[in-house]
Amino acid sequence: MTTISNATRPPLSAGLGAISALSVVLIWASWLISTRHSVGTSLSALDLSLLRYGVPALVLAPVWLRTGLWPKKTPKLPLILMVLGSGAPFFQVVGFGMKSTPASAAGVLLPGVMPLAVALIGIVLLGERPDRMRRLGMAAIFCGGVLLLLGSLSTGVLSWKSYIVLPIGATLWAVYTHAFRHSGLSAYEGGALICAWSTIINLALVPFLGTHLFDAPVSETGLQVLTQGILSGLLATILYGNAVRALGGTQAAAYTAVTPVAAALGGAVLLGEPLGALTIAATLVTGAGVLLSTGILSRRS
């Protein structure tokens, strides 16, 4: 999942932008489902992180070799926050939280909470003032979390990890979003540096945490190479860039409102997770909140 701005490049067609944005939503939903599936089986969060960042780091090696791992003209604090917010530390937090969280709930507590966290950081630290429609979207996201809490209290499905750890992950991603905007890096440069540094961090952790990549079934590893490395780590970056170029950042971000719904349906169909009425309601309310929080429906002066 990556925030991209390529305003200097020629625009693409709106149709291609919409297709790209919807493809990214499906990739994000697949990432949630595949991560939820594998963190409780033979592959650990570190194994998934090695694939998630290692594959794009290899593919984008020409980019980070050209810029250097510590670009001279790039502010260092934004780069550090980018790696923290969307790199290996972010992934470890999410992997820990996903161990006890169904994909449907993760869709609400992770990508659903991300725009709320982005908005709150903008309000508190950057002095941003959202309009009425965006405030309504933030309230809807909060209500979606309340509905999910009510559903979990009645079923006992979710633990404290779900409600604390995954929103922390969403906040880390929000930190990355603001840091990236102030970094001066292009989408490919930012993505390449995040993946390169994350791979270094992951490799440093292997002697302490170990890895199961060579012991896991080939089918399991192959699935994660596809969903973590190629789809989420590499392809989503390019597709989201196309969406932003064609639709603009705000409208492209609005398509993420579909992610909680797609994750919930995918978790039910592919993982056999229960999909109760309150979970469905929480997913839909959060999706609507994400849509409103982008400002796409705000009145233009």
Side-chain angles (χ1 to χ4, degrees):
M1 286 180 289
T2 305
T3 302
I4 299 173
S5 178
N6 288 317
T8 59
R9 297 187 179 184
L12 302 176
S13 69
L16 180 59
I19 293 173
S20 298
L22 288 174
S23 298
V24 171
V25 168
L26 293 176
I27 290 173
W28 287 355
S30 300
W31 174 76
L32 285 169
I33 295 168
S34 65
T35 301
R36 166 58 180 160
H37 168 68
S38 287
V39 292
T41 57
S42 56
L43 294 176
S44 66
L46 178 59
D47 296 325
L48 300 182
S49 187
L50 282 165
L51 297 175
R52 167 64 178 81
Y53 300 103
V55 173
L58 290 175
V59 176
L60 297 175
V63 179
W64 58 262
L65 286 173
R66 173 176 54 81
T67 63
L69 289 175
W70 203 251
K72 294 181 180 180
K73 296 183 179 180
T74 300
K76 299 306 180 285
L77 181 59
L79 179 57
I80 293 172
L81 292 177
M82 286 167 58
V83 175
L84 174 67
S86 67
F90 161 80
F91 198 96
Q92 290 299 316
V93 170
V94 172
F96 179 70
M98 289 286 287
K99 287 182 179 180
S100 56
T101 309
S104 56
V108 174
L109 295 172
L110 194 61
V113 173
M114 282 176 186
L116 177 60
V118 170
L120 290 176
I121 290 176
I123 293 171
V124 175
L125 299 180
L126 303 178
E128 296 178 358
R129 294 294 178 264
D131 58 27
R132 184 177 65 178
M133 294 300 289
R134 293 189 179 189
R135 292 197 301 270
L136 181 60
M138 294 167 64
I141 293 172
F142 178 78
C143 289
V146 172
L147 288 173
L148 193 64
L149 174 61
L150 294 175
S152 68
L153 290 176
S154 63
T155 61
V157 173
L158 300 184
S159 69
W160 64 270
K161 295 179 184 178
S162 303
Y163 287 104
I164 295 179
V165 177
L166 290 183
I168 289 175
T171 303
L172 288 174
W173 188 272
V175 169
Y176 150 73
T177 300
H178 287 292
F180 176 76
R181 291 173 180 171
H182 292 85
S183 69
L185 296 167
S186 71
Y188 287 97
E189 290 170 342
L193 289 171
I194 289 169
C195 290
W197 277 110
S198 295
T199 300
I200 293 172
I201 294 171
N202 287 331
L203 291 175
L205 291 175
V206 169
F208 303 97
L209 301 180
T211 177
H212 304 286
L213 284 176
F214 302 105
D215 302 326
V218 175
S219 59
E220 183 70 32
T221 305
L223 172 65
Q224 297 305 324
V225 168
L226 175 63
T227 57
Q228 301 286 349
I230 297 176
L231 292 180
S232 179
L234 183 63
L235 187 58
T237 300
I238 300 172
L239 289 172
Y240 199 73
N242 288 338
V244 172
R245 286 169 56 195
L247 305 174
T250 298
Q251 190 172 352
Y255 281 85
T256 64
V258 185
T259 306
V261 180
L265 294 177
V269 173
L270 299 177
L271 302 181
E273 296 176 350
L275 198 59
L278 283 176
T279 300
I280 295 174
T283 300
L284 295 176
V285 170
T286 301
V290 173
L291 177 64
L292 292 172
S293 69
T294 64
I296 191 175
L297 300 180
S298 300
R299 297 178 62 181
R300 300 288 187 259
S301 56

